[in-house]
Amino acid sequence: MAYTYDDQNIFAKILRGEIPNNTHTETEHTLAFHDIQPQAPHHVLVIPKGAYVTADHFAAEASDTEVLDFWRTFAVICSDLRIAPDVGGGYRMIANSGHDGVQEVQHFHLHVLAGRPMGRMLQPG
Ligand code: AMP
């Protein structure tokens, strides 16, 4: 089944400039901004500017340029925040997808969380 993108989701509104955001990094194809309800000292959301619903949708259908730009932006965030394990304390990245993934915003986003120990990976459902 093909994904249907709802352009009224809150990140689409951020990308159109209809809602403000606290930008960390912006490139031609990617926006990274601070989560409005941070769950850790560092909590950045990385999103493609293209209309992708989930991580698998992005991985399957985004162009090579978009995919590369997304991950290079992620690397910039790790470098700027000094969270990579070789220089800092490490991080967790999460991409909630779909119903079971408990995805609230229907535009693919990568959570980058750092600045404290994250605990076990999953809580019991
Ligand atoms: P998810 O459950 O993975 O879809 O998470 C959506 C995330 O978006 C949550 O961590 C929210 O705190 C965050 N969020 C929702 N609205 C905004 C906003 N306007 N600016 C920044 N982050 C937001």
Side-chain angles (χ1 to χ4, degrees):
M1 190 179 84
Y3 282 105
T4 301
Y5 183 81
D6 174 9
D7 68 4
Q8 293 307 303
N9 77 75
I10 197 154
F11 294 170
K13 292 179 180 178
I14 284 175
L15 287 168
R16 290 195 295 268
E18 297 167 10
I19 293 176
N21 76 92
N22 185 2
T23 299
H24 180 280
T25 303
E26 182 168 12
T27 69
E28 184 179 357
H29 298 290
T30 308
L31 179 66
F33 54 100
H34 297 277
D35 197 290
I36 203 167
Q37 288 189 296
Q39 305 295 312
H42 298 299
H43 188 169
V44 175
L45 300 171
V46 190
I47 69 172
K49 292 186 175 179
Y52 303 103
V53 181
T54 60
D56 58 283
H57 187 203
F58 178 70
E61 296 192 12
S63 68
D64 292 0
T65 301
E66 290 175 295
V67 173
L68 183 63
D69 188 77
F70 182 88
W71 288 109
R72 292 289 196 241
T73 302
F74 166 69
V76 167
I77 292 161
C78 291
S79 176
D80 283 355
L81 298 179
R82 299 189 63 78
I83 60 175
D86 58 342
V87 296
Y91 56 87
R92 179 167 294 163
M93 56 183 190
I94 299 172
N96 298 320
S97 303
H99 177 269
D100 287 357
V102 194
Q103 180 179 5
E104 292 177 2
V105 180
Q106 303 304 310
H107 180 113
F108 168 46
H109 51 283
L110 186 71
H111 295 259
V112 182
L113 299 136
R116 66 167 173 81
M118 294 296 145
R120 291 182 63 81
M121 186 169 68
L122 293 173
Q123 300 298 320

